[in-house]
């Protein structure tokens, strides 16, 4: 198995080796219809990163991609090439809207070795990158763009190529800096949602709260409810929620946590007279509700783009049980009409106190759950679970996400094995199970059962195949006893 | 004032009797609720009419002087007539007993009989100005036996037949009341209590008038469980109502009704004060656990519900009228006899007439017109008079005939025009389910008590009675929700919010939600393509697992593929649906998965080989068929020592098919030892 590849950089020669993670080389968007004739090629390019690249090179690179896609289409008309492997880099192609192509070029990881004569020798690791991971990242780029800007086509209708180019430039200029290609893994393929486990009664209370709030604030169209970065309820459809969840948990929330951890309390509360004791505030929109000049600017989001094409304002409101505490619940609310300051005050007065009460209910649940699971000792395994049907994702491999990187607690080689198993699963429809013996006493087990995938990493010395199988069975019986998981 | 505004009415079919006049005396017996019309001292006939018996009792008796009081014992067994202030005459109405009158003189010397009360079919109490005497009547011997007596000065007395309590007014101010309770040959003295009289001008002597006191039982409970025999349970709570014309505190104007609670044990306690905010002549009734106060000057009445929240000052609760004052609904005197044939229009009846006499609990008598009515409360008009839905529910849930009215209130608050807000709807559901849960709990403890065999040892253990206030899920579903979800004009967001609110409320009271409610939620979500919402509800087990629900989900698979997974998960959790899981997998041609599943739970020795072989054959996957066939051959070998199928398994067709494809030699050979 692929796990034969070096057991991490911990040998005596480690100091002589330098590793460079994969990096974004270029990223561009084009539409071949915009410059069909010779001499007009530049018109095809809608966005190009890095912008400093010389014009002719841009045209050449776009032309190459176009040619590859055209060429492969002759062999497979419905599924043209998705990626191109070269020694130094990999190119990923995606056509999210008809004739609009997005291309991402990623440099392969590099190991720089000292040769005997002291000269550095660069070695490209051609097989390290997983197609599925980076194709998913590319698709996510589009989804994220669409969430905040609508479709390419809509921009064309609204203001032609000029407007589209402006939007792309404005969005991707910042977004590409947040990609962090070195830490992409299996979870990027799944694009899953972590759900907060909750008892029925508390869940129904939340339902009731949301319904009442939507009734009294009638410009509210959809509501999502999260607790500690985990989703509890989404009124939005699954696909829209998936990308919004990604935005909230990897971008918006982490940005607001850092100043808090630095000990800076939100300044709004203390001076609000007659306000019930609650620590609610807007993560989007006005900072200070008492300031009559406070700007009520909310990001616009676009949902149901295949269908009703709704343009909404994203209001994110958050309460904490105590200032700067870890437990928090966030309600992300989508309103149809532009919310006014007056609306924000009403929302604050309605949602703030109730959300605080709910948060303490949930916190209680959370502690009960923790106590119940806490009695067990540190398990001998780590796992990743994903269900394609509801996008539910659970990982004990990953630590808490920070805005910059998602940290894993296992070696990258093991993560790569997980990715490989996932690729194998994609090739067949049948349920199956793959068990891999990896380096250093690790066993990796992949199970697929009716659109669910489970990956387990076991660290058991001298375990044999039968014991590993038993261990995974036990895990399924304890962690997944309420779902139908085939043995 | 529209007709729909009146919330009090006189009963449609009153008891009619001959009007009071110089030759015809009319008496009313509160115990049997009978009216006696005594013509010429009984010589020309006595007619007795009760509210239930449409056939009046009529008889004659000798005119032995003016009749002061006349009453049947319970069940009309013995007639007692008081003609003098010292004696009471008796006459048996029991077949085969002598009908000759017999007489009993009161035992206390120089005492005058104020009146008498029957406490059972053969027990009678004489109330004299010097005390009370409790007798047993021996009809066959035509004599009475004194059971017990008690001496004290009595101004006047009052009897509450429902609780068998006699209240005696004593002392000069008449305001110290001494209650006695009678039961099966025993007389017990209860603690006396004093009614606080309002401050009166010095010139007049204050005193408590009999007219200002009434007794009534309210809130008779129906469930009696394992608690010791208690008066409060069996008869409801006994209240003494005192109409105080002027408040003791000078700053408040208007009369008030003070309610004293008279418990079986312990002292009487002042509990409630009903603020009338007006002065004048009043009369009291108690109807359907409501205190009705009639006001003659304005010819209107108000009602009070002491179960509704009032202002509590630490010792008593102050109440205001539940509704604005209204007249009793105008009443037309029905024309009877030959006049009815002619097209004469019915005569409107004079309401609040000064000739009306009011008796507890709900009786109004017009002696001059010859009618006895029961006062009734109409609930429908109240729905519109009480805008606060929570208070309206509290009010309605205490009423006897409330079910249909409550259901119509629920339908109304979900209608397009009168739509209530979700918090209000939630409050209403919570109140309904609170009542529903109380009943379920009573049922459950009854069932447990029966199971534990307490029914024989404790005769008091009774099955809880289901009052109309118990509205279960099927009531709400049938009369409210099923019609509500059908309304096309309703925004689906609201429909779903209401259904979830009802389910939330049921869960809050720990009532198991019925399958049809879940089905309603699913149906509504599916209708509006809200599959993701449905998925989330199932994910958090808001819709409880059940086989019917799992089957419903299976049927949704073609619209929403994840329904398949949801269904299988649910069947798995039920843990009683393993056969269903196998069927589902086989129908999906997942033969191997089905076999592995059944083997995993240890059921593979009992499954039908034919079923699996059929499914395997249908897949047209020969290797799969081979695998399955081999599995069963091995099972046969293990269970019966031979790989061959028995005729009972009906697998001949599959054996032939196997041979055809893989040849005879591929069949497993019996192991020989």
């Amino acid at each position: 198995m692929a796990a034969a590849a070096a057991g991490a950089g911990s040998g005596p020669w480690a100091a002589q080796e330098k590793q460079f993670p994969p990096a974004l080389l270029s990223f561009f968007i084009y539409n071949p219809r915009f410059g069909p004739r010779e001499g007009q090629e530049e018109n095809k390019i809608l966005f190009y990163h890095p912008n400093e690249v010389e014009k002719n090179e841009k045209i050449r690179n776009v032309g190459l991609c176009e040619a590859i896609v055209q060429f492969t289409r002759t062999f497979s008309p419905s599924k043209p090439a998705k990626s191109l492997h070269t020694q130094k880099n990999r190119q990923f192609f995606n056509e999210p809207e008809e004739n609009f192509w997005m291309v991402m070029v990623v440099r392969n990881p590099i190991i720089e070795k000292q040769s005997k004569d002291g000269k550095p020798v660069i070695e490209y690791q051609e097989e390290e990158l997983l197609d599925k991971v980076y194709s998913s990242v590319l698709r996510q780029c589009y989804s994220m763009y669409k969430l905040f800007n609508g479709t390419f086509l809509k921009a064309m209708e609204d203001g032609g190529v000029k407007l589209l180019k402006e939007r792309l430039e404005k969005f991707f200029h910042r977004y590409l800096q947040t990609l962090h290609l070195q830490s992409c893994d299996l979870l990027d393929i799944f694009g899953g949602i972590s759900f907060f486990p909750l008892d029925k009664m508390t869940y129904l209370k939340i339902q009731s709260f949301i319904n009442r709030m939507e009734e009294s604030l009638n410009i509210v169209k959809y509501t999502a409810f999260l607790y500690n970065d985990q989703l509890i309820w989404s009124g939005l459809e699954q696909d829209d929620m998936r990308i919004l969840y990604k935005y909230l948990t990897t971008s918006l929330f982490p940005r607001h946590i850092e100043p808090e951890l630095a000990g800076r309390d939100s300044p709004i509360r203390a001076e609000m007279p007659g306000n019930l004791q609650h620590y609610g505030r807007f993560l989007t929109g006005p900072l200070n509700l008492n300031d009559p000049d406070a700007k009520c600017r909310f990001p616009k989001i676009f949902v149901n783009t295949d269908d009703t094409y709704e343009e909404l304002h994203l209001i994110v409101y958050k309460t904490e049980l105590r200032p700067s505490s870890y437990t928090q619940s966030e309600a992300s609310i989508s309103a149809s009409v532009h919310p006014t300051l007056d609306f924000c005050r009403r929302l604050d007065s309605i949602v703030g106190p109730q959300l605080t009460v709910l948060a303490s209910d949930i916190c209680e649940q959370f502690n009960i759950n923790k106590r119940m699971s806490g009695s067990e000792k540190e398990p001998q395994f780590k796992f990743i679970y994903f269900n394609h049907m509801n996008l539910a994702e659970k990982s004990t491999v990953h630590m808490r996400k920070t805005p910059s990187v998602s940290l894993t607690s296992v070696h990258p080689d093991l993560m790569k094995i997980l990715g490989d198993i996932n690729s194998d699963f994609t090739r067949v429809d049948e349920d199956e199970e793959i068990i891999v013996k990896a380096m250093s006493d690790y066993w990796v087990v992949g199970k697929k059962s009716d659109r669910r995938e489970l990956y387990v990493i076991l660290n058991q010395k001298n375990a044999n195949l039968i014991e590993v199988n038993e261990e995974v069975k036990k895990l399924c019986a304890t962690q997944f006893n309420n779902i139908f998981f085939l043995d | 004032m529209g007709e729909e505004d009146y919330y009090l009415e006189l009963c449609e079919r009153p008891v009619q009797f001959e009007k009071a006049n110089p030759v015809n005396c009319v008496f009313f017996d509160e115990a049997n609720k009978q009216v006696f019309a005594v013509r010429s001292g009984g010589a020309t006939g006595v007619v007795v009419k009760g509210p239930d018996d449409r056939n009046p009792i009529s008889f004659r008796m000798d005119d032995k002087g003016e009749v002061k009081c006349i009453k049947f014992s319970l069940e009309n067994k013995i007639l007692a007539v008081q003609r003098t202030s010292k004696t009471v005459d008796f006459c048996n109405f029991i077949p085969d007993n002598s009908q000759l009158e017999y007489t009993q003189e009161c035992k206390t010397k120089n005492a005058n009989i104020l009146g008498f009360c029957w406490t059972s079919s053969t027990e009678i109490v004489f109330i004299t100005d010097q005390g009370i005497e409790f007798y047993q009547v021996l009809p066959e011997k035509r004599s009475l036996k004194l059971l017990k007596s008690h001496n004290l000065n009595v101004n006047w007395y009052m009897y509450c037949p429902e609780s068998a309590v006699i209240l005696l007014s004593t002392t000069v101010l008449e305001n110290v009341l001494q209650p006695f309770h009678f039961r099966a040959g025993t007389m017990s003295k209860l603690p006396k209590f004093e009614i606080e009289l309002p401050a009166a001008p010095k010139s007049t002597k204050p005193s408590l008038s009999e007219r200002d006191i009434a007794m009534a039982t309210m809130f008779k409970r129906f469930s009696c469980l394992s608690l010791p025999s208690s008066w409060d349970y069996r008869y409801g709570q006994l209240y003494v109502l005192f109409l105080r014309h002027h408040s003791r505190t000078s700053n408040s104007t208007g009369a008030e009704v003070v309610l004293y609670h008279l418990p079986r044990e312990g002292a009487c306690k002042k509990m409630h004060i009903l603020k009338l905010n007006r002065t004048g002549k009043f009369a009291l009734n108690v109807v359907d656990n409501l205190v009705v106060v009639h006001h003659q000057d304005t010819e209107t009445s108000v009602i009070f519900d002491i179960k509704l929240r009032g202002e509590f000052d630490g010792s008593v609760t102050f109440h205001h009228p539940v509704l604005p004052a209204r007249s009793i609904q105008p009443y037309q005197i029905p024309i009877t006899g030959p006049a009815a044939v002619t097209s004469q229009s019915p005569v409107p009846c004079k309401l609040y007439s000064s000739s009306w006499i009011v008796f507890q609990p709900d009786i109004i008598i017009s002696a001059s017109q010859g009618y006895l009515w029961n006062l009734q409360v109409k609930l429908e008009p109240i729905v519109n008079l009480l805008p606060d839905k929570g208070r309206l529910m509290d009010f309605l849930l205490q009423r006897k005939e409330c079910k249909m009215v409550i259901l119509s209130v629920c339908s109304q608050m979900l209608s397009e025009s009168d739509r209530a807000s979700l918090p209000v709807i939630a409050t209403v559901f919570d109140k309904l389910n609170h009542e529903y849960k109380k009943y379920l709990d009573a049922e459950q403890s009854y069932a447990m008590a029966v199971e534990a065999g307490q029914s024989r040892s404790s005769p008091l253990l009774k099955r809880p009675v289901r009052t109309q206030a118990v509205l279960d899920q099927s009531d709400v579903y049938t009369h409210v929700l099923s019609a509500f979800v059908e309304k096309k004009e309703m925004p689906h967001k609201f429909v779903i919010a209401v259904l979830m609110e009802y389910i939330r409320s049921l869960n809050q009271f720990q009532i198991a939600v019925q399958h049809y409610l879940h089905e309603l939620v699913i149906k509504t979500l599916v209708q509006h393509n809200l599959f993701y919402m449905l998925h989330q509800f199932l994910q958090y087990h808001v819709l409880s697992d059940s086989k019917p629900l799992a089957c419903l989900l299976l049927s949704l698979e073609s619209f929403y593929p994840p329904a398949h997974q949801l269904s299988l998960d649910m069947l798995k959790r039920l843990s009683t649906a393993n056969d269903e899981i196998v069927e589902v997998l086989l129908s999906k041609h997942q033969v191997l998965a089905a076999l592995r599943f059944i083997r995993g739970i240890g059921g593979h020795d009992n499954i039908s080989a034919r079923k699996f072989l059929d499914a395997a054959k249908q897949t047209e996957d020969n290797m799969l068929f081979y695998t399955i066939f081999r599995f069963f051959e091995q099972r046969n070998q293990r269970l019966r020592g031979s790989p061959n199928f028995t005729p009972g398994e009906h697998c001949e067709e599959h054996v032939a098919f196997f041979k055809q494809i893989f040849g005879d030699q591929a069949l497993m050979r019996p192991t020989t030892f």
Side-chain angles (χ1 to χ4, degrees), chain B residues 514-529:
Chain B
Q514 293 292 321
H515 164 249
Y516 45 76
L517 286 174
H518 290 147
E519 210 167 284
L520 206 58
V521 173
I522 296 178
K523 207 178 99 186
T524 312
L525 292 169
V526 168
Q527 242 169 31
H528 296 95
N529 273 317

Side-chain angles (χ1 to χ4, degrees), chain A residues 199-209, chain B residues 500 503-504 507 542:
Chain A
D199 69 305
K200 177 160 63 170
M201 197 55 233
T202 318
Y203 187 77
L204 283 166
K205 277 191 206 159
I206 292 170
Q207 274 295 315
S208 178
F209 158 73
Chain B
M500 291 317 286
I503 290 177
R504 180 212 42 87
N507 272 292
V542 166

Side-chain angles (χ1 to χ4, degrees), chain A residues 439-467:
Chain A
M439 294 295 295
S440 52
D441 295 323
Y442 280 106
W443 285 85
V444 179
V445 182
K447 256 168 91 81
K448 183 185 167 205
S449 167
D450 189 34
R451 313 285 286 143
R452 288 186 169 108
E453 292 175 30
L454 175 68
Y455 302 86
V456 187
I457 300 171
L458 291 139
N459 183 14
Q460 269 177 330
K461 271 207 167 109
N462 309 323
N464 61 31
L465 196 61
I466 294 168
E467 285 161 354

Side-chain angles (χ1 to χ4, degrees), chain A residues 193 195-201 203-205 207-209 211-212 214-215 220-222 231-239 241 385 387-392 431 433 449-452 480-487, chain B residues 419-423 426-427 493-494 496-498 500-501 503-505 507-508 529-533 535-537 539-544 560-565 568-570 572-573 581 585 590 593-594 596-597 600:
Chain A
I193 293 171
F195 285 93
F196 187 81
L198 204 58
D199 69 305
K200 177 160 63 170
M201 197 55 233
Y203 187 77
L204 283 166
K205 277 191 206 159
Q207 274 295 315
S208 178
F209 158 73
N211 288 333
R212 289 172 193 203
E214 288 186 2
E215 184 185 55
V220 172
K221 282 220 76 172
Y222 304 103
L231 186 67
I232 291 176
W233 167 253
S234 163
L236 284 169
E237 284 302 312
Q238 197 178 48
D239 283 343
M241 192 61 230
Y385 164 83
N387 181 356
H388 288 269
M389 296 274 99
N390 61 357
L391 308 181
D431 294 350
E433 189 168 329
S449 167
D450 189 34
R451 313 285 286 143
R452 288 186 169 108
F480 304 101
N481 62 335
N482 56 357
I483 59 172
F484 184 78
F485 225 168
L486 271 180
D487 290 326
Chain B
R419 201 169 116 177
S421 71
L422 285 173
T427 308
K493 216 172 180 174
F494 180 66
I496 293 157
V498 168
M500 291 317 286
E501 206 56 67
I503 290 177
R504 180 212 42 87
S505 178
N507 272 292
Q508 197 152 314
N529 273 317
L530 298 167
F531 287 105
Y532 189 45
M533 239 181 230
H535 202 132
Q536 294 183 66
F537 288 155
Q539 201 174 317
Y540 282 94
H541 308 299
V542 166
L543 308 173
S544 318
Y560 184 64
H564 176 75
Q565 192 190 63
L568 269 184
D569 291 351
M570 195 177 278
K572 158 92 187 297
R573 284 192 298 267
I581 291 177
L585 292 173
Q590 292 179 293
R596 290 181 66 177
F597 168 74

Side-chain angles (χ1 to χ4, degrees), chain B residues 142-184:
Chain B
R142 297 179 50 245
S143 67
L144 278 77
K145 184 181 136 198
L146 182 68
L147 295 172
K148 209 163 183 188
S149 65
H150 190 87
N151 291 334
L152 76 171
N153 286 324
V154 178
N155 304 309
W156 45 264
Y157 76 97
M158 190 164 281
Y159 180 49
C160 176
E162 285 81 16
S163 51
V165 168
I166 291 175
L167 210 56
L168 304 177
S169 157
T170 66
T171 73
V172 187
L173 295 180
E174 307 189 5
N175 65 334
V176 175
L177 301 178
Q178 173 63 59
F180 285 93
H181 177 233
F182 299 88
R183 190 170 161 226

Side-chain angles (χ1 to χ4, degrees), chain B residues 549-568:
Chain B
L549 198 56
C551 294
L552 181 64
L553 285 172
L554 271 184
S555 72
L556 291 173
E557 194 193 345
S558 53
F559 307 99
Y560 184 64
H564 176 75
Q565 192 190 63
L566 289 167
S567 170
L568 269 184

